[in-house]
Amino acid sequence: MKRWEFTEPLHTERLELRLMTADDVPSVHAWMSDPEVVRYQLYEPRSLEVVTEKVAEYGQARILADKGDYVQPAIVLDGEVIGAVYFTIASADDQTGEIGWVLRREFWGRGYAREAAARMLDVAFDEVELHRVYAELDPRNDASVALCLRLGMRREAHFVEHMWFKGEWADTGIYGMLAREWRA
């Protein structure tokens, strides 16, 4: 595993992934305050004050080297922040990372999350040189399950009533892939 620092924006065919700045707060607040968007997130809708703090935190997260290190770049389309992709080192010893994504509701269903996640998987496998990446999600989130499958991930686990989530017991799904599978 190699140390990687987010120093320059990443690009895809249609998108730019870059570190968040204070100017992004209104766009980030648009999804973090939307109950439908955060339905499967680990948090309730957030206030503008909390989003401002989170954006400052995310803008400083730029190193992937050790367990717990993460990046959460903004997904930018034509200069507008439409979402974010999350990536963290789950285990440096086991060369494993975790990926996640979120988009503003008006941008759902257009392939943007797949495009951004694929670019982060390129970084994870080709630059950080991880062995395995997984996504942990609520299996009721059909769109994210479908995205995992489109990315080539396989369903590895389904834990029943695995966590207390927003006032009820919820299942957890794990989807994963290996570096050799991504390269194939």
Side-chain angles (χ1 to χ4, degrees):
M1 188 178 124
K2 289 185 177 176
R3 179 184 190 278
W4 182 78
E5 184 171 0
F6 203 121
T7 56
E8 296 182 12
L10 304 172
H11 294 92
T12 71
E13 183 179 327
R14 302 178 293 173
L15 306 171
E16 177 182 74
L17 305 180
R18 62 160 174 75
L19 294 173
M20 290 188 193
T21 70
D23 292 339
D24 300 328
V25 169
S27 292
V28 176
H29 185 252
W31 83 72
M32 284 192 171
S33 64
D34 183 337
E36 185 63 23
V37 174
V38 303
R39 179 178 178 193
Y40 299 114
Q41 300 293 322
L42 294 176
Y43 55 87
E44 296 291 348
R46 290 179 166 159
S47 68
L48 187 59
E49 180 182 358
V50 171
V51 171
T52 301
E53 293 169 4
K54 291 294 183 184
V55 167
E57 178 186 318
Y58 302 154
Q60 296 302 309
R62 61 182 70 220
I63 305 287
L64 296 175
D66 294 311
K67 180 180 177 161
D69 288 350
Y70 75 96
V71 295
Q72 189 158 337
I75 301 171
V76 181
L77 174 68
D78 298 327
E80 182 178 6
V81 175
I82 64 168
V85 62
Y86 170 79
F87 193 87
T88 187
I89 303 298
S91 171
D93 292 340
D94 297 324
Q95 300 174 1
T96 299
E98 180 182 358
I99 193 167
W101 41 79
V102 63
L103 287 178
R104 288 176 23 207
R105 192 182 337 180
E106 61 267 34
F107 295 98
W108 289 356
R110 300 183 195 174
Y112 299 130
R114 186 212 51 78
E115 199 170 315
R119 185 65 183 95
M120 282 307 304
L121 288 170
D122 286 338
V123 169
F125 291 127
D126 297 336
E127 298 181 46
V128 185
E129 297 182 355
L130 293 179
H131 174 68
R132 180 175 176 276
V133 171
Y134 68 90
E136 182 173 342
L137 50 86
D138 187 319
R140 298 173 295 185
N141 186 342
D142 294 333
S144 281
V145 168
L147 175 52
C148 287
L149 297 174
R150 279 194 305 280
L151 289 167
M153 295 177 147
R154 81 185 137 277
R155 180 178 162 188
E156 294 184 335
H158 183 118
F159 298 106
V160 177
E161 296 184 8
H162 182 239
M163 66 186 301
W164 187 252
F165 178 74
K166 297 185 178 180
E168 66 182 349
W169 288 107
D171 295 0
T172 301
I174 305 289
Y175 290 77
M177 71 181 338
L178 303 174
R180 63 178 147 74
E181 295 168 326
W182 179 247
R183 291 183 187 114

